[in-house]
Every structure is written in structure tokens, then in C-alpha cells.
């Protein structure tokens, strides 16, 4: 099924001045004078800055709770869960003690907190516990849900409310606040005797924790410069002074000086000059003045419409200073065109959480796919016991889930069918009764029933993709089952299917289910017409990745023209038993809309999918370039023409890269940056910087990488940071992928993501981008 609903100059002499004291650059952290007694406990200081130290729910979480962890009907284990003083992580007890990093989870990695029996696990195994006592913590990425039962309903509510407050406060934090919070949490951990004083040994430990191997002599010099009491201990204001020095950004200070001049503050006109050099479209003096009011920290400077170094850093670290065009983070494209004119985020075998052979099927897999912006999911339906259809990967050892449970969990479907007529009728009843008015059961435009509707028309609605009975065929008529082109793969793999009786029944379609395939009638796409024929826009062709590549290679333009009118779904080869993915960019190049991937498998393929649908409010629909929407287009992805665009990326620095092995204090990353271009074959390329030895805290490269592009509208740019290794493959550190058309020019921060798409805040890359069109 398809879910149509989309979610989501210089200052003049007359200008006023501030005093020299205010004009001096402010610290990126609070100045010593602003330090308070909370500095004595950096963890509680962090919570105080979040405004939650007095909150009763947070206080209860800090004390900890003994909660039952529920895994099955018989596996209920009591475990202690306690919020850490940093307010960012929760420590939990394990039966067998493990490394410290495996006893915590981070608040920023939580996708949702659900009350009651709102997870598959608690619906199946939580019946002995009142819903009011239960909660589920769902995580981003592949981490399993945490199903819990509290001793009382009130204690469960304290965790539900407390986590909601922490998540809301974390989401509202600026990058500056996140950095402050982050460094103080490490400071708390490095203070081994918890005396709120830092010896040089503890400072060295802090440096290793934050991924920097600083020369002992240099580190000690910094230490002594801040040790005003000369007692070989830093405390209070001395600690803050050390952190201020540690977090200095010389490259930002140089840019700031270049525009501010000797007085070390930016006027609105000087800030406007910087914005114009950045390539900001339509910027005005009023825009510059508004940025000062938004990001400047010093009230006196703000009153005089001046920006200090601190305000400048705040701006560059904000979403407005990021590489992703902030205007593209909301729905900004025309959503009124036919469905065939959009790339649509799509999942393959959505029910699986692991491999295609013995993995677990789960309704939670659908929830996770939707959380990642997926708009088209698959239900592989088979005959089940008791007259109820089930979903699983047929002829394998994957577990089974009820069709009706999935319909309760999803609002968007693309399903395949191996059920007989009787259970197909049950499926149709479940679809109608559970989805109600959300389900499209007839053409939305009675005057043009054969034309595909737009995402705007389908907002909040659900489409069924399935086989359609011919108008003259009765309910006993046999037609091919909706399992895409499985026969193609079965011949290649010489697979043997189950009993012939089930195969015979699976080749029948019930009238009830057929009636629900209004706009997405599944069909085989065997050949392509050299010229556009009569419109058959309601037919959806399904192709294996191999067949789609063959069409692109042998009939590129014809395939593109076909996809201007009709939907095409591409799915992974059945031989990918470990749920590996193919490169979706190859299919997007030809205009294929429904490029289905295994969402449960992280990797560069899913990074590309996330990057493609990062824009337009992450609604799961992205308008294709004009040459992929025009019926008589001559575009061929194999022959895109000469270069039209030059992309120049200057990789400058990185900040606070994550430590890959937290259990090895002396393990410091040697980072390098690779910039990858994904587009038509002639545009695909990658270039990388040298590596920086033993510095994941503030490595500096200042290297320039340049790319020539022929079809820039299709290009995705992937920024990857790796830990260089001389003897084995490099280790992944972080990445960020986005469309070239949403990449802003000038000095930009790139906020890195983990392998499974979680934020690595405050880890960033700092780059300069230039895009030239010929």
C-alpha cells in the first residue's frame, strides 16, 4: 500500500559603539564571573542549565527506579534504571556486568516513549501488568525496544513525563548549549575522586575522553596558565578558563576578524557583507539585524545592533549556518502533481527486522520505517491458521505476525499476496474496518478516474497496491499472484516452492480485495515502448534491481519516459539473503519512484535514501527534476551530456568527533574526510583528505576537493568521516548526506550522524562550499 498523506560594506563613522570591555570577544562558555556554585557538580550544573534540577519527575529519575524488563511471557527481570547527572543518559543494571558504555542509553537516541501496551512486546507479553504501569522506550536505529513495567502507575508516569521533558529540552538546545553540556559531562567523568577539582592527571584523562592526544608539555602549559592558585589543581573559574581555551576555534576567529576589523565586533552592515559573500539569496540589512537579535548573547551589543565573536559562533552553529538549506526542511515543493512525478520513500519486506531467511517479523518494523519517513511499505500475506492471514517471508524460517495487527500499526501499505479467496476477503474487511475513511476505495476525481492523484489530494489517505480482476472476470477467475517478478528469481536460484494447492489458490484474487486496488494496480513490466503510448497511469510495474538496471542500460530514455506517467517499484534481488541493499541512486536516475530498500539494514545505501528524503519536510515525497517529468524527455542517465556544474569543497576542520572505543582511553581516532558524489554514472566520484594523527577533538585539514557534474539536479553529496588504519579497512566515524540542490554555499557546519542515523551531536565538520554553474 501507499500512504498518500505526506507528513511534514563597512560601518559608517556615526554608528554607535559599545565599550571596549563589551567589544572584546566573549567566551564560548560562561565567563568565570558568571560561574556559580553549581560548577562544583558539573553533572548537576548541566541539569540546572536545562532548568530541570527542581523538577519532581527528574528528581525521581535521578534517584532511580526498579523496573521490570519484559522480553517474553516468562522473562520478566527487575533492573535498576537511573538518570545520570548529565541529564543526557540513563544507566541501567545488567545481569552480567559489561563495559561502562554498555550500561547506558542516551536520551537523544530515543525515538518515542509510549504509555501502556503500545508495543508488540507488551501487547503479547504484558497482559499480567496493568497498562497504567507499563511503558515502552523505542530507540532510533536498530536497537530493540525497551518494554518496562513499574511498581506503580505513578512511577511509570514519572518516567514517561520525565523523559518527555528531557527530550523536549534537548531538542530545544542550541549547538552552543549542547557543546557546553557535552564538555561538562566529560568533566564530571574525568574527576575521578569527585572533589570538583582537576589535577593534571585528571585533565589528561579528560583530553583522552574527548578524543585528543595532546602533547604533555603543551597540555601542562595550558594547565598552568589557568592554575592561578598555583596549587596544581584547577577548580571553579580555573576549570572554566581551561575549557574556554580548549574550545577555542581559531579558524572562526580568523573569519570573524576578516569582516570585523580592529574593533572585533560586527556591525549589521559588516554582517551583511559576510552573508553576501556566503551566497545567501535575497539577504538584506534587515536580515542581518534580525540575525543579531536572534544569536547575539550580549545584551549591550544586541542593543547597539552589534555581533560579537560568541554571537557569530552561535549563528554558524545554528540550523541557519548549517550545510542543509533550512528553507528546505519544511514542505516547499509543489505537492499538486501526479504521484508519478515524485520519488517516494519505499521499504522492501518491511516486516523483517533482520535477514530474509530466519529473521524476526514484527509490527515494530513498520513503526520504525514510518519514523524514518517511509511512505510505501510491503505486507507479504500468506494463509494463516484460524482463518486469519499472516505476514512473513514465505518458504523461510522468518517468524509470522497477524495481518490485522499490522493494519493496526500502519497507515501506508504496499503488500504482496499468497492467500486464498476466503482470507483475502478477511484482509479486505480488516482494511476497511480498521482504516475506515482513510482508505481510498474509489476514484477521487470521477471525471478523470484513470489519472493519478497528487500527494496533496491523498493527504492522510491510504492506497492499496494489488492485482486487479478484469472487469469481465468472475470471482472464480484465476490471475497471477502479486509477488512482483519472483518467478524470475526462482528460475535463477532454482528454488522449489510449497505444495501446488497453495500455489493454485494464491493465483486467485478475491473481488473484495481487487476492489481496493483503485490507483495502484500491480502489473508486470516486461518491455518498454520506444515512444509514449496511451496512458496507463494506474498500473504499477514491479521490477527486480537486475531488470531495472537492464532497462536503464539498454533503453534509458524509454524507461525515463515510462516513469513520467506510471509508477515503477524496484525491489532487491531475492539472493540478498542477509537483507543487504542495492544502490538506490541508479534507479532514481531513471525516474523510478518506489525504490524499495531493506530499512533494517544500515549502510551507505540507506544513507542515500535518508539524504534523498531529508528535504521537503521529510514527508517522504520529493519532486523529480523537470527532465524526469516531461513526457517527451530526451534525458538518458547513461549519456547526460557535458559538465554543467562545478562543486568545490574546502574541508577545513572537525569538532568533537566521537570516540570509537570508549573502553580504551588511549585509543584516539586518526580522522580523514571523504566527499562522495552520487548521481548519474558519469558524475559518481569520491575524493578524500589526508588523515590527522591522534586528534578527534579539533582536527584541521584545510584541503580542497573539486567535482565536475553533468546532472546536478540528481546529485547527492555524502560527507564521510573515517578513522584511518594502515593495516585494515578504515572505521566509520560519522556521515551526512544531502541533495546538492539543498547544499548551501559559503562557510558551513555539517552535523554528523551515526551509522544508524542517530545524531552525533556535538560532532561537526566545518567546510567551505562553492557551486558554479556554467
Amino acid at each position: 500500500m501507499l500512504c498518500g498523506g505526506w507528513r511534514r560594506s563597512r560601518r559608517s563613522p556615526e554608528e554607535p559603539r559599545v565599550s571596549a570591555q563589551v567589544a572584546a570577544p566573549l567566551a564560548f562558555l560562561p565567563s568565570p564571573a558568571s560561574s556559580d556554585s553549581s560548577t562544583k557538580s558539573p553533572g548537576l550544573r548541566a541539569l540546572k542549565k536545562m532548568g530541570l534540577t527542581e523538577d519532581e519527575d527528574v528528581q525521581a529519575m535521578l534517584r532511580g527506579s526498579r523496573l521490570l524488563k519484559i522480553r517474553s511471557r516468562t522473562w520478566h527481570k527487575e533492573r535498576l534504571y537511573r538518570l545520570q547527572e548529565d541529564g543526557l543518559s540513563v544507566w541501567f543494571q545488567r545481569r552480567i556486568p559489561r563495559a561502562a558504555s554498555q550500561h547506558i542509553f542516551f536520551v537523544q537516541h530515543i525515538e518515542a516513549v509510549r504509555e501502556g501496551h503500545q508495543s508488540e512486546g507488551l501487547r503479547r507479553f504484558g497482559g499480567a501488568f496493568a497498562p497504567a504501569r507499563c511503558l515502552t522506550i523505542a530507540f532510533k536505529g536498530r536497537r530493540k525496544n525497551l518494554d518496562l513495567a513499574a511498581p506503580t502507575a505513578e512511577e511509570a508516569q514519572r518516567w514517561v513525563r520525565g523523559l518527555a521533558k528531557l527530550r523536549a529540552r534537548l531538542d530545544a538546545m542550541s549547538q552552543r548549549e549542547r557543546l557546553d553540556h557535552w564538555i561538562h559531562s566529560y568533566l564530571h567523568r574525568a574527576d575521578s575522586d569527585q572533589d570538583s577539582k582537576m589535577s593534571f592527571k585528571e585533565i589528561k584523562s579528560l583530553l583522552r575522553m574527548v578524543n585528543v592526544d595532546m602533547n604533555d608539555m603543551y597540555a601542562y602549559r595550558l594547565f598552568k596558565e589557568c592554575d592561578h592558585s598555583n596549587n596544581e589543581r584547577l577548580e571553579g573559574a580555573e576549570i572554566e578558563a581551561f575549557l574556554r581555551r580548549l574550545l577555542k576555534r581559531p579558524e572562526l576567529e580568523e573569519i570573524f576578524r576578516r569582516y570585523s576589523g580592529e574593533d572585533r565586533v560586527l556591525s549589521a552592515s559588516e554582517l551583511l557583507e559576510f552573508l553576501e559573500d556566503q551566497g545567501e539569496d535575497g539577504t538584506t540589512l534587515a536580515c542581518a539585524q534580525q540575525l543579531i537579535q536572534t544569536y547575539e548573547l550580549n545584551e549591550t551589543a544586541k542593543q547597539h545592533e552589534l555581533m560579537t565573536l560568541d554571537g557569530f559562533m552561535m549563528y554558524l552553529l545554528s540550523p541557519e549556518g548549517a550545510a542543509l538549506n533550512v528553507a528546505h526542511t519544511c514542505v516547499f515543493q509543489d505537492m499538486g502533481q501526479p504521484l508519478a512525478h515524485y520519488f517516494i520513500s519505499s521499504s522492501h519486506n518491511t516486516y523483517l527486522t533482520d535477514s530474509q531467511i530466519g529473521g524476526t517479523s514484527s509490527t515494530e518494523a513498520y513503526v520504525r520505517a514510518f519514523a524514518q519517513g517511509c511512505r510505501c511499505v510491503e505486507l507479504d500475506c500468506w494463509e494463516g491458521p484460524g482463518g486469519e492471514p499472516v505476514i512473513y517471508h514465505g518458504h523461510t524460517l522468518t517468524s509470522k505476525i497477524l495481518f490485522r495487527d499490522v493494519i493496526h500499526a500502519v497507515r501506508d501499505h504496499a503488500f504482496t499476496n499468497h492467500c486464498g479467496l476466503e482470507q483475502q476477503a478477511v484482509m479486505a474487511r480488516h482494511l476497511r474496518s480498521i482504516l475506515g475513511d482513510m482508505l481510498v476505495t474509489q476514484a477521487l476525481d470521477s471525471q478523470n478516474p484513470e489519472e493519478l492523484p497528487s500527494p496533496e489530494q491523498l493527504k492522510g489517505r491510504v492506497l492499496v497496491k494489488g492485482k486487479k480482476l478484469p472487469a469481465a472476470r468472475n470471482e472464480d477467475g484465476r490471475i497471477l499472484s502479486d509477488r512482483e517478478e519472483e518467478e524470475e528469481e526462482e528460475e535463477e536460484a532454482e528454488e522449489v516452492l510449497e505444495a501446488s494447492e497453495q500455489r493454485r489458490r494464491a493465483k486467485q484474487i478475491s473481488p473484495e480485495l481487487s476492489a481496493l486496488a483503485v490507483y495502484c494496480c500491480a502489473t508486470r513490466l516486461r518491455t518498454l515502448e520506444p515512444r509514449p503510448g496511451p496512458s496507463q497511469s494506474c498500473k504499477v510495474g514491479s521490477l527486480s534491481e537486475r531488470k531495472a538496471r537492464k532497462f536503464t542500460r539498454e533503453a534509458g530514455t524509454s524507461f525515463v519516459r515510462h516513469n513520467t506517467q506510471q509508477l515503477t517499484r524496484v525491489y532487491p534481488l531475492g539472493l540478498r539473503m542477509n537483507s543487504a541493499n542495492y544502490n538506490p541512486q541508479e534507479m532514481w536516475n531513471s525516474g523510478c519512484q518506489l525504490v524499495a530498500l531493506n530499512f533494517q539494514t544500515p549502510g551507505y545505501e540507506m544513507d542515500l535514501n535518508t539524504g534523498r528524503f531529508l528535504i521537503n519536510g521529510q514527508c517522504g515525497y520529493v519532486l523529480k527534476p523537470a527532465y524526469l517529468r516531461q513526457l517527451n524527455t530526451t534525458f538518458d542517465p547513461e549519456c547526460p551530456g557535458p559538465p554543467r556544474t562545478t562543486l568545490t569543497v574546502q574541508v577545513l576542520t572537525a569538532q568533537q568527533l566521537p570516540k570509537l572505543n570508549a573502553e580504551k582511553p588511549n585509543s584516539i581516532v586518526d580522522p580523514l574526510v571523504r566527499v562522495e558524489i552520487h548521481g548519474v554514472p558519469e558524475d559518481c566520484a569520491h575524493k578524500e583528505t589526508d588523515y590527522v594523527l591522534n586528534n578527534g577533538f579539533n582536527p584541521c585539514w584545510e584541503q580542497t576537493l573539486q567535482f565536475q557534474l553533468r546532472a546536478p539536479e540528481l546529485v547527492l553529496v555524502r560527507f564521510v568521516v573515517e578513522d584511518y588504519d594502515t593495516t585494515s579497512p578504515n572505521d566509520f566515524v560519522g556521515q551526512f548526506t544531502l541533495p546538492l540542490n539543498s547544499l548551501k554555499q559559503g562557510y558551513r557546519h555539517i552535523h554528523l550522524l551515526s551509522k544508524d542515523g542517530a545524531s552525533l551531536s556535538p560532532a561537526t565538520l566545518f567546510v567551505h562550499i562553492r557551486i558554479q554553474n556554467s
Side-chain angles (χ1 to χ4, degrees), residues 283-462:
T283 190
T284 63
L285 188 62
C287 294
Q289 291 167 337
Q290 183 57 50
L291 288 178
I292 291 173
Q293 295 303 311
T294 302
Y295 296 107
E296 179 50 50
L297 303 173
N298 184 277
E299 288 299 326
T300 305
K302 189 185 293 188
Q303 290 169 12
H304 290 85
E305 293 189 343
L306 297 172
M307 181 175 274
T308 64
L309 176 59
D310 259 7
F312 187 65
M313 288 181 173
M314 283 283 287
Y315 164 63
L316 285 179
L317 283 165
S318 75
E320 290 186 270
L324 174 64
N325 189 336
V326 72
H328 290 188
T329 58
C330 57
V331 175
F332 71 99
Q333 294 181 332
D334 176 9
M335 301 300 287
Q337 300 195 30
L339 279 179
H341 288 185
Y342 298 85
F343 296 128
I344 303 170
S345 182
S346 305
S347 166
H348 173 66
N349 287 355
T350 313
Y351 46 89
L352 289 178
T353 61
D354 205 335
S355 76
Q356 307 287 310
I357 300 300
T360 302
S361 302
S362 171
T363 58
E364 291 296 331
Y366 290 90
V367 178
R368 292 189 179 218
F370 293 130
Q372 295 177 66
C374 183
R375 298 286 83 201
C376 176
V377 296
E378 183 177 15
L379 284 72
D380 196 353
C381 306
W382 295 78
E383 290 269 287
E388 282 288 349
V390 295
I391 292 172
Y392 83 114
H393 196 203
H395 315 298
T396 69
L397 299 177
T398 57
S399 62
K400 301 174 183 178
I401 51 179
L402 289 176
F403 175 84
R404 72 162 180 261
D405 288 346
V406 173
I407 301 302
H408 275 294
V410 302
R411 295 295 181 269
D412 177 46
H413 310 65
F415 67 96
T416 56
N417 190 7
H418 300 269
C419 295
L421 295 177
E422 184 178 336
Q423 291 200 11
Q424 287 181 39
V426 174
M427 290 165 56
R429 287 201 302 273
H430 285 326
L431 287 165
R432 287 180 181 271
S433 64
I434 295 171
L435 295 176
D437 291 341
M438 295 174 64
L439 185 67
V440 175
T441 57
Q442 60 186 15
L444 301 180
D445 184 352
S446 58
Q447 301 299 314
N448 300 290
E450 296 297 316
E451 289 187 8
L452 282 175
S454 70
E456 181 65 40
Q457 290 173 296
L458 291 168
K459 206 170 184 179
R461 307 295 297 276
V462 176

Side-chain angles (χ1 to χ4, degrees), residues 642-711:
R644 295 189 283 125
T645 300
T646 300
L647 169 65
T648 304
V649 179
Q650 188 178 9
V651 182
L652 300 170
T653 60
Q655 295 74 41
Q656 292 82 54
L657 298 177
K659 195 175 180 68
L660 297 186
N661 193 334
E663 273 63 61
K664 292 185 178 179
N666 293 320
S667 175
I668 309 295
V669 300
D670 305 325
L672 62 81
V673 178
R674 183 172 64 253
V675 178
E676 301 172 354
I677 301 298
H678 297 267
V680 296
E682 290 190 50
D683 283 346
C684 291
H686 63 84
K687 297 180 180 180
E688 62 187 33
T689 66
D690 299 329
Y691 68 91
V692 174
L693 187 65
N694 286 338
N695 187 353
F697 186 74
N698 54 2
C700 178
W701 292 278
E702 294 188 343
Q703 290 182 249
T704 301
L705 313 174
Q706 193 169 86
F707 305 90
Q708 301 295 321
L709 308 174
R710 293 164 173 77

Side-chain angles (χ1 to χ4, degrees), residues 11-17:
R11 181 189 297 104
S12 64
E14 307 82 46
E15 286 186 78
R17 285 317 208 169

Side-chain angles (χ1 to χ4, degrees), residues 17 27 65 134 154 182 222 225 229 248 265 292 301 325 352 361 408 469 485 492 604 620 624-625 633 668 688:
R17 285 317 208 169
S65 298
C134 295
E154 176 55 27
W182 176 85
L222 281 183
E225 286 175 357
S229 56
K248 282 173 69 73
V265 287
I292 291 173
N325 189 336
L352 289 178
S361 302
H408 275 294
L469 281 171
E485 290 185 297
E492 295 165 357
Y604 87 90
K624 297 195 291 188
T633 183
I668 309 295
E688 62 187 33

